Structures are given as structure tokens and as C-alpha cells.
Amino acid sequence: MHKVAVVGDRDSVLGFRALGVNVFTAFEADETRRIVDKLAKDNYGIIFITEQLANLIPETIERYNNAVVPAVILIPSNQGTLGIGMDRINKNVEKAVGSNIL
């Protein structure tokens, strides 16, 4: 069974702990990249990451984009959304069904 993790700034991810999700805090690109790569190696099936941190490590996010596991899912932080996560969902839906049905 795969584990679930969330990566982001402390204020954005703290609530996930109450849901039983493993929480990892990061603030800089190198730290975020190391955490995501370690989670992928440690059998995490879903990695939620705030859009702000994902924006710092686009090459790492892209590397896992075509992998089945882990699924890297961008979420808004407590500061709001950058729209990146929804753009990715739209592109994946369009790729899967041939047109953007959303």
C-alpha cells in the first residue's frame, strides 16, 4: 500500500496532519527537491505539494509527471492559488479525452 504525503509551508500543510497525511515542510527549492525525491523513493503513492513550492522545482515536477507512481498533485497554499494545479488538470484531461471537457 502506498503512503500519502503533503509538502508545503507550515501554515498551509499543518491541517493535513489531522487527516493522517504525512506532512513535510519546506521553504527553498533544494530542500523541496530533496523531500520530493525522498518521498518518491520511500513508496509514497501520492504527493501533494503547494503550487508555490512546485513553482520553484518545475524540472522535478515534470520528471514525475509521466510516472504512474508517485502522483504529484499541486494544491493551493494558504496564500491562495497560482492556477498551476488547475492548468495541469485541464491539460491531463485534454490529453486523456482529446478535448478539454472541463
Side-chain angles (χ1 to χ4, degrees):
M1 185 164 141
H2 293 289
K3 300 178 271 184
V4 178
V6 63
V7 182
D9 62 276
R10 189 172 93 62
D11 293 336
S12 296
V13 300
L14 198 55
F16 285 89
R17 186 169 288 154
L19 300 173
V21 175
N22 293 319
V23 173
F24 299 86
T25 56
F27 301 97
E28 299 174 353
D30 289 340
E31 180 182 28
T32 304
R33 188 176 299 108
R34 276 194 304 275
I35 290 171
V36 170
D37 286 339
K38 181 165 178 23
L39 293 173
K41 289 178 186 172
D42 288 348
N43 205 32
Y44 278 81
I46 300 174
I47 302 170
F48 293 101
I49 183 170
T50 60
E51 291 175 329
Q52 285 76 4
L53 286 181
N55 207 26
L56 298 176
I57 58 164
E59 68 288 342
T60 302
I61 300 300
E62 187 61 33
R63 185 167 11 109
Y64 294 111
N65 194 31
N66 295 323
V68 174
V69 176
V72 177
I73 301 169
L74 279 55
I75 59 172
S77 73
N78 67 338
Q79 300 164 356
T81 183
L82 299 176
I84 301 168
M86 196 61 189
D87 286 344
R88 284 186 52 161
I89 290 171
N90 284 331
K91 287 177 186 172
N92 286 333
V93 167
E94 191 169 335
K95 186 169 61 174
V97 297
S99 66
N100 188 344
I101 61 173
L102 298 178

